[in-house]
Amino acid sequence: MILIHCPYCDEKRAELEFAYAGQAHIARPADPSALSDEEWEHYLFIRANPRGRHHERWRHIHGCGRFFNAVRDTVTDKFETTYKAGEPRK
Amino acid sequence: MSEGLTRREPVPAEPVSGRDVIVRAAAPMARYALRARQASDVEKLLGRPVPHKIGDTDQGVLCLGPDEWLLLAPAGTALSAGEGAAVAVTEVSDRNIGIIVEGPRASEVLAAGCPLDFDRFNVGRATRTIFETVEVIIQRAAADRFHVEVWRSFAPWLWTAFATVASE
Ligand SMILES: [Zn+2]
């Protein structure tokens, strides 16, 4: 079983306490009505899908309940690091 | 309450005695979910210190997350609704059932469905976690006694699981 470090609980917990929540660092546009359809589509649906290092959101849903960010390798499934929501991209 | 209404618990009133472990229902109690950005706001509401570190407990107050506390208190305990305080106070007394697992094999019963390392789970500590597929809050009340909070509708399943492992 994979252990994931929760930056709020500050300890490693079993993967089954966590939920994946999509790609990280996608900021909602400040003024959606100013966007073209293509830009809005890009914000809503277009994601990176890299082979390797991926910045993603996770939630310690069956623990402290908090969302946080992680860098995970999509090939090896290894978590490189996790950090609190709002902290700069690592 | 009408005389026609009687309280029905989702788990048996009779404890289950297994090998070196007893599983029993906890007495009904008052439960409050408290959400606040600052622990100091919760302290103002309760008029006493509350734990600041996730997992710590202090006299019935469990720190479950950076902005979440659970208050377990004797049945009937009333809490101010927190008018004017930056705390969301929600009474959840009847949402959960408490199950007590006690005895030398208590941690073994929990470990049957939960990946936490109970050798490193100190007395007084509490956390939300998963038992098999059911979300629970586990508090270690003593070296050989655990208090497990579970939503009512999941309680019969969890009771059966505990009783099954206890009797193995
Ligand atoms: Zn956590």
Side-chain angles (χ1 to χ4, degrees):
Chain A
M1 184 177 292
I2 296 175
L3 298 177
I4 300 173
H5 182 265
C6 171
Y8 292 94
C9 295
D10 195 22
E11 66 172 351
K12 288 191 167 187
R13 300 283 286 255
E15 182 190 8
L16 51 76
E17 291 185 359
F18 297 84
Y20 176 69
Q23 189 180 333
H25 301 294
I26 293 174
R28 183 182 168 84
D31 184 7
S33 60
L35 264 57
S36 68
D37 285 354
E38 286 72 30
E39 288 169 326
W40 186 243
E41 179 212 5
H42 199 271
Y43 159 68
L44 282 183
F45 302 117
I46 307 303
R47 296 296 179 259
N49 197 27
R51 186 174 195 274
R53 235 170 153 258
H54 189 222
H55 289 76
E56 46 199 30
R57 300 168 79 220
W58 283 78
R59 187 178 179 200
H60 194 187
I61 184 167
H62 300 298
C64 67
R66 293 300 290 225
F67 283 90
F68 59 91
N69 292 330
V71 182
R72 184 179 62 96
D73 191 305
T74 59
V75 178
T76 61
D77 205 15
K78 266 208 163 135
F79 280 75
E80 181 184 307
T81 185
T82 59
Y83 51 102
K84 290 179 180 177
E87 287 180 5
R89 194 184 183 90
K90 292 207 172 165
Chain B
M1 187 190 281
S2 156
E3 304 242 329
L5 294 176
T6 49
R7 189 186 175 92
R8 277 177 60 182
E9 302 296 352
V11 297
E14 282 298 303
V16 170
S17 293
R19 182 167 58 80
D20 291 336
V21 66
I22 294 175
V23 180
R24 59 189 160 88
M29 59 178 71
R31 298 171 171 90
Y32 287 89
L34 307 169
R35 305 295 299 260
R37 293 235 167 118
Q38 307 289 341
S40 56
D41 288 325
V42 180
E43 294 176 332
K44 238 179 277 169
L45 180 86
L46 298 180
R48 62 179 168 107
V50 300
H52 289 214
K53 190 171 173 289
I54 299 172
D56 283 356
T57 64
D58 183 15
Q59 297 171 66
V61 180
L62 289 54
C63 183
L64 297 178
D67 59 356
E68 182 183 6
W69 290 262
L70 178 69
L71 169 68
L72 302 177
T77 302
L79 201 59
S80 130
E83 291 96 341
V87 184
V89 179
T90 313
E91 205 218 320
V92 292
S93 300
D94 294 309
R95 184 185 67 181
N96 293 6
I97 285 292
I99 299 176
I100 294 163
V101 184
E102 184 169 19
R105 279 183 68 234
S107 63
E108 193 185 316
V109 170
L110 294 185
C114 176
L116 288 178
D117 183 354
F118 289 104
D119 287 341
R120 297 198 299 167
F121 198 88
N122 296 334
V123 172
R125 204 180 152 193
T127 186
R128 187 183 286 122
T129 184
I130 288 267
F131 185 93
E132 292 290 352
T133 55
V134 172
E135 185 175 288
V136 292
I137 294 169
I138 295 177
Q139 182 184 9
R140 189 165 210 162
D144 64 353
R145 189 171 79 248
F146 292 86
H147 178 99
V148 181
E149 289 277 307
V150 62
W151 285 9
R152 287 188 84 87
S153 54
F154 291 103
W157 182 89
L158 189 67
W159 176 274
T160 306
F162 284 168
T164 305
V165 181
S167 57
E168 272 176 358

